[in-house]
Amino acid sequence: MAGTWVFVEQRDGNVRKVTYEMISEAKKFGDEVCAVIFGKGIEGLAPQFAKYGADKVYVVEGDVFAQYNTGAFVAQMAAMIEEYKPNAVLFAHTFNGRDFASRLAQKLNAGLATDVIAAEISAGKGVFTRAIYAGKAFAKVEVTTQPILATVRAGVFEVKENPAAGEVIKPAVVATQANVYQNIIEFKPTVSARPELTEADVVVSGGRGCKGPEGIKLVEQLADLLGAAVGGSRAAIDSGWLGHEYQVGQTGKVVNPTLYIACGISGAIQHLAGMSSSKFITAINTDPEAPIFNVADFGVVGDLFKVIPVLCEELKK
Amino acid sequence: MKVLVCVKQTFDTEAKIELKDGKISDAGINLIINPYDEVAVEGAIQLKEKGIASEVVVVSAGSDKAMDAIRTALAMGADRGILIKQDTGADEYARAVAIAEVIRSEDPNLVLAGHVAADDGSSQVPTRIAEILGWPHINVITSLEIADGKVRCSSEADGGSQVTEVKLPAVISCQVSWNEPRYPSMKGIMQAKKKPVATVDAVAVENKTRIIEYFLPQAKQAGVKVEGEPEECAAKLADFIKNTAKIEVKA
């Protein structure tokens, strides 16, 4: 049992940043780091992983891997684990990553720590920190089976260039169409120039104080000026101003950007759970007593309809 | 068609978390059905109202307190319940094994659950159950249609959404945006008291993970708060964004 494997999260060859975050972090464990990529027409990507520290890159090519499907991916990964016996396998805590890791873990009768924000891995031992109650508390958990399996939250580990050999290895392809049980009829990409909430460096969120679509429009203007993702509190989602995929909080997404700007959000504990790990928090709210100010590094007591337009002008200066 | 819904009892999402003797304290906490599972219950009841489902069975694994979650689901309109008595320290593996065992004996056509629990946030149990049963699954769905022995769902996906079809029987986990759960009516609450709930013991299996410790986040210190003319405040905030947070402004 040797080597820390990092499963590459990609679609159509577009690799998610969290992959490099995991490779960079895995280097700290001292063990050999291997990137594992399944896909179609993806062999050319291998040097990218070497740049961040992949000693080896396991490349699995085939039509059946053209897009993520649980059956084929689990069958292939289980066979590779059997053959190469890695000490640990890390996945991104994306929709695909958690789906993949959960089904794989059960197939291997193994434990799994999901959505981890800190990892200590040594030979035969994996201890992880994960947020529970959406960040209101944390649990340190040990995965007591092998290989050690975990899914990693995006944005918590730093990406660091650390060139390594990146020796390309092509394992036997065992998964076939017969392993596929999900018929994916259609994939509709989100058409947005904005980054995704969970990966964004800056998040601008709107709440009840936005009062309606006009307020949300201001939030969006500010977001675009900062290259930010747009989010919302439950009040904004329940009022129908934003779709559920934009919700930040315990029943939505947990974000951890460098900068979080809360506009017209009072800061219910439900919401705070989803954003309080942001590096810098700023808030604009008319109520000086709003709980959001208890966590804000910089707060403006004021009307967002007046503050945001001026703020945009100031930022452009 | 028989639909089985897995529900977990969790803390109210407005609850403040505190530790007692190194464990998460449930003193004074309002317990609810995990909001994601509540949506699964609603989805199942709607299938029954449309005449697609003939029976809706609610299953929960946990302590005796989980009975409240089952009763709530029954009050919403589910037909009967099964409480799997299990140590609350059971991990995702142990819970999935216990629930799958009951599913096997119930033999439903469709299993519904929330895609994640608001307490541990693991997102593992429905997918693990599907693997144990050897059934297909679809996670994080936002719509569902059943036809010709298949289930077709829209779901949230990384960077978009997708439409996936699998054969029944299947395990489907849902996103909260699938539907708006109903409040139990007074009549529903009265009827729920008479609906049957069986109690079974969980299959004894060992956990595959071990909790070492729980801890609370460090309290964040409130920073600067400015009041006054919007122009002045906005200028100070802009300065903070550019010079303290060091965020680049797009042209």
Side-chain angles (χ1 to χ4, degrees):
Chain A
M1 297 271 179
T4 308
W5 284 13
V6 172
F7 182 73
V8 174
E9 184 74 35
Q10 58 92 23
R11 177 181 286 277
D12 300 332
N14 296 310
V15 177
R16 274 179 186 262
K17 188 169 160 241
V18 60
T19 302
Y20 306 120
E21 292 166 3
M22 290 191 286
I23 293 172
S24 298
E25 185 67 13
K27 282 309 256 193
K28 295 183 184 166
F29 308 134
D31 203 358
E32 179 181 76
V33 175
C34 308
V36 180
I37 182 164
F38 295 180
K40 195 185 167 193
I42 38 83
E43 202 186 327
L45 297 175
Q48 274 173 243
F49 311 118
K51 188 170 144 193
Y52 296 96
D55 300 296
K56 288 179 186 161
V57 183
Y58 290 98
V59 177
V60 178
E61 284 255 8
D63 287 342
V64 76
F65 307 112
Q67 61 180 334
Y68 173 74
N69 72 87
T70 323
F73 277 50
V74 167
Q76 179 66 28
M77 185 63 96
M80 285 170 61
I81 288 171
E82 174 77 28
E83 166 143 20
Y84 298 101
K85 300 186 171 42
N87 180 52
V89 187
L90 304 179
F91 300 83
H93 190 70
T94 53
F95 286 124
N96 287 349
R98 65 184 94 161
D99 178 286
F100 188 178
S102 298
R103 190 120 190 183
L104 177 72
Q106 191 58 44
K107 187 178 173 71
L108 302 175
N109 282 312
L112 165 67
T114 47
D115 199 16
V116 307
I117 56 169
E120 301 156 45
I121 297 173
S122 55
K125 194 170 166 85
V127 175
F128 303 94
T129 303
R130 48 189 313 277
I132 54 173
Y133 300 93
K136 290 183 205 168
F138 295 92
K140 219 172 196 184
V141 57
E142 181 183 354
V143 174
T144 55
T145 47
Q146 284 224 281
I148 296 149
L149 302 174
T151 66
V152 175
R153 182 180 293 183
V156 293
F157 297 128
E158 243 177 275
V159 176
K160 233 174 114 182
E161 283 193 28
N162 192 349
E167 180 198 347
V168 172
I169 296 169
K170 292 188 175 174
V173 175
V174 299
T176 66
Q177 202 56 40
N179 296 108
V180 179
Y181 44 75
Q182 295 148 329
N183 176 15
I184 299 164
I185 293 162
E186 189 184 11
F187 173 77
K188 281 179 263 182
T190 307
V191 185
S192 171
R194 299 193 187 104
E196 225 173 292
L197 253 186
T198 52
E199 294 209 320
D201 199 36
V202 182
V203 174
V204 186
S205 286
R208 195 183 305 279
C210 287
K211 294 177 184 162
E214 310 78 49
I216 297 295
K217 211 164 267 170
L218 285 174
V219 165
E220 289 173 340
Q221 279 170 15
L222 177 57
D224 290 341
L225 204 53
L226 297 169
V230 169
S233 70
R234 189 148 100 187
I237 288 18
D238 287 353
S239 304
W241 307 333
L242 286 166
H244 175 263
E245 62 273 27
Y246 294 95
Q247 188 177 332
V248 174
Q250 196 169 359
T251 45
K253 294 195 165 86
V254 175
V255 299
N256 53 348
T258 303
L259 175 66
Y260 189 86
I261 307 179
C263 307
I265 292 175
S266 63
I269 191 162
Q270 214 272 1
H271 185 75
L272 298 184
M275 45 62 81
S276 47
S277 65
S278 307
K279 195 166 173 203
F280 294 104
I281 297 171
T282 63
I284 305 167
N285 201 295
T286 48
D287 176 10
E289 303 302 321
I292 191 77
F293 289 123
N294 296 334
V295 300
D297 299 289
F298 194 97
V300 173
V301 180
D303 181 355
L304 67 94
F305 287 91
K306 290 182 182 148
V307 176
I308 294 179
V310 191
L311 176 61
C312 289
E313 289 313 309
E314 286 288 336
L315 286 170
K316 284 183 203 158
K317 277 184 189 169
Chain B
M1 185 173 103
K2 183 162 154 185
V3 180
L4 187 143
V5 191
C6 307
V7 303
K8 185 181 189 186
Q9 194 177 43
T10 58
F11 287 13
D12 192 320
T13 54
E14 296 300 330
K16 188 170 188 295
I17 306 298
E18 280 169 347
L19 297 183
K20 193 176 176 248
D21 304 327
K23 293 222 162 88
I24 304 288
S25 166
D26 63 356
I29 301 265
N30 183 32
L31 298 171
I32 58 168
I33 293 188
N34 170 34
Y36 299 85
D37 297 341
E38 197 180 11
V39 169
V41 173
E42 175 64 34
I45 294 167
Q46 287 185 14
L47 286 175
K48 195 177 171 191
E49 287 168 347
K50 286 179 195 152
I52 297 167
S54 51
E55 189 185 25
V56 176
V57 183
V58 184
V59 175
S60 188
S63 70
D64 286 332
K65 286 183 186 170
M67 190 62 97
D68 290 346
I70 293 174
R71 290 285 172 205
T72 305
L74 295 177
M76 287 170 73
D79 297 301
R80 63 186 170 90
I82 302 170
L83 172 65
I84 306 171
K85 289 182 79 162
Q86 188 170 39
D87 186 291
T88 49
D91 73 357
E92 297 85 355
Y93 170 83
R95 268 183 276 143
V97 169
I99 296 169
E101 186 70 17
V102 167
I103 294 172
R104 249 192 217 120
S105 65
E106 284 288 326
D107 196 25
N109 307 84
L110 177 67
V111 172
L112 294 174
H115 81 92
V116 63
D119 52 6
D120 61 34
S122 286
S123 322
Q124 294 186 32
V125 174
T127 314
R128 282 180 179 271
I129 290 171
E131 174 63 23
I132 296 168
L133 298 169
W135 293 1
H137 73 270
I138 308 174
N139 283 325
V140 210
I141 69 138
T142 54
S143 78
L144 176 150
E145 280 169 58
I146 288 173
D148 308 323
K150 289 177 185 163
V151 54
R152 180 185 282 221
C153 300
S154 298
S155 62
E156 284 189 13
D158 301 311
S161 62
Q162 69 185 30
V163 178
T164 309
E165 192 175 77
V166 297
K167 280 188 193 144
L168 292 171
V171 178
I172 304 294
S173 84
C174 64
Q175 181 56 288
V176 282
S177 49
W178 181 21
N179 60 47
E180 190 68 43
R182 69 194 66 193
Y183 288 104
S185 64
M186 194 45 76
K187 192 178 159 209
I189 293 167
M190 297 310 288
Q191 284 173 339
K193 289 179 181 162
K194 293 180 201 141
K195 288 178 179 172
V197 180
T199 302
V200 298
D201 288 323
V203 194
V205 287
E206 269 185 40
N207 283 350
K208 305 290 186 186
T209 55
R210 180 173 74 89
I211 301 281
I212 297 169
E213 62 166 338
Y214 292 106
F215 59 97
L216 298 179
Q218 283 188 320
K220 216 174 148 107
Q221 295 293 317
V224 182
K225 188 160 76 177
V226 297
E227 276 182 75
E229 287 306 309
E231 288 74 19
E232 258 173 65
C233 294
K236 285 179 187 160
L237 177 53
D239 179 66
F240 180 90
I241 291 170
K242 284 190 208 168
N243 300 315
T244 305
K246 300 200 186 304
I247 301 299
E248 226 175 283
V249 179
K250 308 274 170 212

